[in-house]
Each structure stands twice: as C-alpha cells, then as structure tokens.
Amino acid sequence: MSYKDYERQLNEMYENIYCNESCGNRCEHWEKCKPNEPEKPVKFYFDRVKVGKEYGTIYPKILFSGLEGKHDNKENYRITEISNPSKDATNSHYIGVRYVLSYLLSNLLGEKPPINASIEELSNDRFVEYLKHFCLTNIYKCAFGQPSQSRGLTHTKSMRDECYKIFLKEIDILHPEIIVIQAATDVPIKLWKSMIKSYGNKEELLKGDGQKNNTSAFRLYYEDGTPFYCIWTYHGSGRPHNKGKVFGDNNIEYIENELNPVLDEVIIQFLKDK
C-alpha cells in the first residue's frame, strides 16, 4: 500500500473511534478515562500514529510504540491528523527508537550499523533517511498531567482497558513485520494477552528472559500464517543496572550485552522466514 492508502485507512479507523456523535464527537470512553482531579489536566487527547512517508518501500515494515506521546500545540490539545516521525528529535525515548531502527535496517539491508546510540552517530545521513521508513505510535492515546510533566502521567483503569485495542487496530492496518514496544512499566496487562490471542495464540520466545519489561523478542503470526516479530525493550529513559538512561547516557553495557543480541536474533529469524 502507498502512504496515502495507510493514511486513509488509519483516519477512517480513528474517525470511527474518536468522533462518536452520541458522545459529543469524542471517544466513547473519554468520560471514563479522564481523571476528575484538577491537578491532572489534559495534555493531549486522541493520539494518532506517525507514519513515515516511505513506510513499506524497503523491508521490513517496522512499528515502534511507547506509552504516550508528546504534543506541543497548546491551542488545540486534540490530535486530528496523521503526521510523520521527526527527523531531529533527541529526547531519550526517541534516541532509543532511532538506535534500534538504525541497527535493524542497517543489518537487514547489508549496511554498517550504528556503533553506539549517541546522537552524533545517529545523525549520520543514512540513519536519518531511515526515519522515513517506519511508524511510531503509543499504547495510551490520551495524556493527563501537568504541561511540563513527562513522567508518571496518569493511566486510569479505563485507559488500561481500552487504549490498547486501538493499538491492535493500528497493527492490523499497518501490518508491520517487526513491532518494537519500548516501555518499562505501566503497560496494560491485557495488551500482551490480547496480542497472543489475536496473532497465533501462542507465545514463541526467540531471545531474552521473556519478561516484557526487560529485553526480549517473540515470534507471532498474522491470521494468514505470516510471521512477525515483537521486541520488548526498555524505554529510552529507563535505568537498567543503575547506569543512568538506557540510551541517553549511551549505556554500552546494556546495548552490547542485552539489546543487540536480541536484535541480532530477530534479524536472523526474519531473514530465515523471509
């Protein structure tokens, strides 16, 4: 499919969910999801996936997900359109995205992978070009907290019960061959159970300890039997081994000993199954 095809299908899906006339043109779960405490205002709501302009033109199709996004338009907190992944963002989560994306695509395309996760290395023109070829989404589609707050945002029970279902709809439309979920905590318990049930009905561990909040890789299957891979890694601002930020402080120990071996196994299996 072309970018326009993905954009059209995604927008149709979002319009059905986010523009429910019986709920005042809002998601039907809005009132249950948003906290009623004044110290937890709306940061943004009704998030939509960011789609690379050339998603799907080189293999594999890769979808990344964090917990919730970042929205800077203070005049309109409602997200109303599909956008493209940033070419220059350098926050710790996005550095993690850029490193994993560059490592995967470089190896799968027979090119030299990044030697570290520094922003200087990832600013290489080739790695920046890769940012046109992936999608970025979030498990939670609304964010509640103070405008300056970036951690510890509220996830209500309704959000944990409902938001991940939109994430699964995004998967069904984008049909990624590799999904990378970068989150350490606060992942909805029902998410992984629903993914297993929806995609192959079995948990096939490829590499890692199998703990979703650590670093592990699994093989799942679409309805037609086509395999795809799900990688769980730390969020880029997490702190494994008390070494500081995973990617922001260029944690070589984590990258070389835990992350890269998991990515290498996915690369091997992807090429074997292709």
Side-chain angles (χ1 to χ4, degrees):
M1 290 198 301
S2 68
Y3 175 84
K4 287 295 184 183
D5 292 327
Y6 287 118
E7 185 180 47
R8 175 181 52 78
Q9 290 191 27
L10 286 162
N11 277 327
E12 287 176 356
M13 181 266 289
Y14 291 130
E15 293 304 308
N16 287 332
I17 295 171
Y18 294 155
C19 299
N20 188 315
E21 291 186 8
S22 65
C23 299
N25 287 323
R26 295 178 181 271
C27 170
E28 64 178 310
H29 306 291
W30 171 254
E31 291 298 332
K32 292 186 296 182
C33 285
K34 68 182 181 71
N36 293 320
E37 299 117 281
E39 69 273 13
K40 296 176 181 176
V42 176
K43 290 194 64 166
F44 67 83
Y45 56 105
F46 305 166
D47 200 4
R48 303 185 185 216
V49 65
K50 295 179 181 294
V51 182
K53 282 286 188 179
E54 297 181 26
Y55 177 73
T57 60
I58 61 174
Y59 76 93
K61 294 188 291 184
I62 303 178
L63 172 66
F64 281 78
S65 179
L67 285 180
E68 61 267 300
K70 185 176 182 292
H71 185 52
D72 295 321
N73 187 345
K74 304 306 181 187
E75 296 181 0
N76 182 8
Y77 294 94
R78 181 171 183 152
I79 299 176
T80 58
E81 59 185 22
I82 302 293
S83 58
N84 307 127
S86 171
K87 282 190 172 185
D88 52 20
T90 58
N91 62 73
S92 55
H93 174 231
Y94 204 57
I95 288 175
V97 169
R98 292 174 66 168
Y99 175 80
V100 174
L101 176 69
S102 297
Y103 190 92
L104 288 171
L105 283 181
S106 293
N107 282 288
L108 287 167
L109 297 172
E111 299 173 343
K112 184 179 178 181
I115 58 174
N116 59 46
S118 68
I119 192 56
E120 290 79 14
E121 174 72 5
L122 297 174
S123 295
N124 176 294
D125 289 345
R126 177 163 53 86
F127 300 147
V128 173
E129 182 69 16
Y130 289 162
L131 297 172
K132 298 179 182 178
H133 296 278
F134 85 110
C135 294
L136 178 63
T137 191
N138 293 288
I139 293 170
Y140 294 111
K141 304 305 182 182
C142 297
F144 304 99
Q146 294 299 323
S148 61
Q149 186 179 354
S150 61
R151 298 185 185 183
L153 296 175
T154 296
H155 303 134
T156 62
K157 182 180 185 304
S158 183
M159 291 173 70
R160 292 192 295 270
D161 289 345
E162 303 298 340
C163 278
Y164 77 88
K165 298 175 185 177
I166 304 174
F167 176 48
L168 297 185
K169 291 179 184 294
E170 292 169 340
I171 292 173
D172 289 338
I173 293 172
L174 293 166
H175 218 260
E177 294 159 277
I178 297 176
I179 298 172
V180 183
I181 302 177
Q182 291 186 314
T185 58
D186 296 329
V187 177
I189 295 174
K190 295 179 182 178
L191 169 62
W192 186 237
K193 293 179 180 178
S194 294
M195 288 185 71
I196 293 172
K197 184 177 180 180
S198 299
Y199 305 119
N201 207 28
K202 60 181 177 180
E203 187 178 56
E204 191 174 326
L205 177 66
L206 297 177
K207 189 77 172 179
D209 62 9
Q211 297 298 312
K212 313 315 174 301
N213 60 342
N214 292 337
T215 304
S216 299
F218 300 83
R219 183 191 283 112
L220 300 174
Y221 296 87
Y222 287 114
E223 189 173 348
D224 64 1
T226 303
F228 69 97
Y229 310 90
C230 185
I231 302 168
W232 290 79
T233 77
Y234 285 101
H235 189 281
S237 61
R239 297 178 178 273
H241 319 305
N242 296 316
K243 294 286 187 178
K245 295 178 181 178
V246 177
F247 297 103
D249 290 346
N250 197 16
N251 189 336
I252 296 298
E253 180 181 343
Y254 168 71
I255 290 173
E256 292 185 351
N257 296 338
E258 294 188 42
L259 177 60
N260 286 356
V262 168
L263 301 181
D264 289 339
E265 184 63 25
V266 169
I267 291 163
I268 291 168
Q269 295 300 326
F270 179 88
L271 293 173
K272 184 185 297 185
D273 290 338
K274 195 67 178 172

